Amino acid sequence: MSGIRMGTASGRWILVATVLGSGIAGIDATVVNVALPTIGRDLGTGFSAMQWMVTGYTLTLASFILLGGALGDRFGRRRVFMVGVIWFAIASLLCGLAPDAGLLIAARALQGVGGALLTPGSLAILQAAFSGEDRARAIGAWSGLGGIATAIGPFLGGWLVESVSWRWVFLINVPVAAAVVWIAARHVPETRDPGATGRLDIAGAALGALALAGTTYALIEAPDDGIGSAGVLTSGLLGLAAAAAFLVVERRTENPMLPLRIFGNRQFRTANAVTFLIYGVFGGIFFLLVVHLQVVAGFSPVASGTAMLPITALMLVLSPRAGALSSRIGPRIPMAVGPLICAVSLVLMLRIGAEAPYLRDVLPPVIVLGLGLSLLVAPLTSTALSSVPERQAGLASGVNNAVARAAGLVAIAVLPAAAGLTGDAYDDPRTFEAGFDTACLLGAGVLAVGGILAAVGIRNPGVPDADHPRHCAVGGTPAAPGALREARGGQDFGGHPRT
């Protein structure tokens, strides 16, 4: 079914359902960071457990988001979307009631599965339901409203932590999810892809999840248990073996979750390599920064949660202009300069110390970071989508989304250990400050590499791609929102990094 108009009651209800549904998944990824120091103290956990509270969610979300899109195409996008919302609500209830860190981490992993089911479905519903002329408006409204919701999330989470309990960061999802299910059941039409046939790539999804889980466990636990411990070695080898098996399965299966041939396109390959580096840094730094503001600078949960709001505001205003600039001059310069500006921001963050004043020490690097991201994100995303044929636009979006999430997962596992933040470091301001400074310098170096890679590897319009000369990227012009069968996981951010 398609042809619904934006100004109608049906159109408004569909937009509300998809924004709220994807919003609870996006907001939850940000508000938990704000609550981490309080959760750690309340449950008596070490820093590795806090890492798992974030990575447990990201792990399952990144592992199954492509499969979630395929399930929606096959069995009905509304149906899978509603299942994901209900699943997410039940997992949120378990998170809110968890008596210890182990059960909270397990419930967070279940949340990620729910997020993988509902996130791609929200965008696919819009693509299928709205008429062609209104589809772009609907997706733009979904993206913008989602960005506002994600910006409100840290403030709401900080207020709940201070005024009620960290548990309500999770419990508040339950009534919102109930409202989404009610709206979707009454007002969202069911759509599916009649051409989605063949076997689902369950083996690929399972092997991908096992590869991420094994390597992540080894990376997080190695600093405390030692790289030679039985658990670390076993999980690391299991993860590497699963990764190798995943590549074999994806190459040989008839309907792969991740068709490896898409990486034969140099522009697409380079854009995703830059995505991995850039979003890896953001995932690790944002995870540490919110904790740093509370543990070292003495900010309250509310103040630390709202400290990053200027980034969202700048991106909502400037990202469209950056996309237009990229259309005129090509994506290479914005994608090369943007990471370098972000690297300067991380160097400026070295000034954030004990009792740091917000206006003097925190706001300047936040503004610089917002400017760098505003210049970078739109060209990066549109290049990843427009570097492949239009029929693969949905698949390209899902792959780029999964790459960004996997990058954040790896960074949260690696960066704290590389910076010396292990054990009870989050409870020792001096130790955490030294580790955070090291993490900022490491992140600035990786961002510089990302900028250089973009300068060398990205081609502007009119420059043939050596691998696929007929499909070079078209600046900042987003690919058309077709290829519903391949809509495996749309962008879940309204002009700011995925979380």
Side-chain angles (χ1 to χ4, degrees), residues 220-472:
I220 289 179
E221 299 301 327
D224 289 333
D225 297 346
I227 195 171
S229 67
V232 170
L233 280 177
T234 301
S235 62
L237 291 174
L238 182 62
L240 292 175
F246 172 80
L247 295 176
V248 172
V249 168
E250 297 307 280
R251 186 178 298 276
R252 294 183 177 180
T253 190
E254 185 177 352
N255 296 292
M257 179 180 72
L258 178 60
L260 299 180
R261 62 183 177 275
I262 196 173
F263 289 102
N265 183 313
R266 174 179 173 176
Q267 188 88 334
F268 183 77
R269 190 168 62 239
T270 304
N272 279 280
V274 175
T275 295
F276 188 86
L277 294 175
I278 300 303
Y279 281 100
V281 172
F282 295 151
I285 291 297
F286 286 165
F287 167 71
L288 295 175
L289 178 57
V290 176
V291 179
H292 182 76
L293 290 175
Q294 295 182 55
V295 172
V296 177
F299 282 36
S300 68
V302 170
S304 65
T306 56
M308 302 295 106
L309 284 180
I311 295 177
T312 303
L314 285 169
M315 296 192 69
L316 288 173
V317 173
L318 298 178
S319 286
R321 292 171 173 79
L325 175 66
S326 177
S327 295
R328 291 196 300 270
I329 69 173
R332 180 193 289 174
I333 292 178
M335 287 178 61
V337 175
L340 299 180
I341 295 175
C342 294
V344 172
S345 170
L346 264 59
V347 173
L348 292 176
M349 287 183 186
L350 299 176
R351 293 172 53 87
I352 304 175
E355 305 299 327
Y358 179 77
L359 292 178
R360 189 190 72 188
D361 293 342
V362 181
L363 185 59
V366 165
I367 290 176
V368 174
L369 184 57
L371 294 173
L373 289 173
S374 298
L375 182 62
L376 168 66
V377 169
L380 176 59
T381 303
S382 63
T383 298
L385 268 62
S386 62
S387 59
V388 299
E390 180 180 325
R391 62 184 176 81
Q392 293 183 310
L395 175 63
S397 173
V399 171
N400 190 247
N401 196 295
V403 166
R405 295 181 187 280
L409 178 70
V410 172
I412 292 173
V414 172
L415 191 58
L421 296 174
T422 59
D424 295 327
Y426 77 94
D427 217 19
D428 184 343
R430 288 188 177 180
T431 300
F432 200 94
E433 182 176 7
F436 180 77
D437 289 350
T438 301
C440 286
L441 292 175
L442 291 173
V446 173
L447 288 172
V449 171
I452 294 171
L453 179 60
V456 172
I458 294 297
R459 295 291 181 264
N460 283 331
V463 180
D465 187 309
D467 299 309
H468 295 271
R470 297 182 62 188
H471 300 302
C472 58

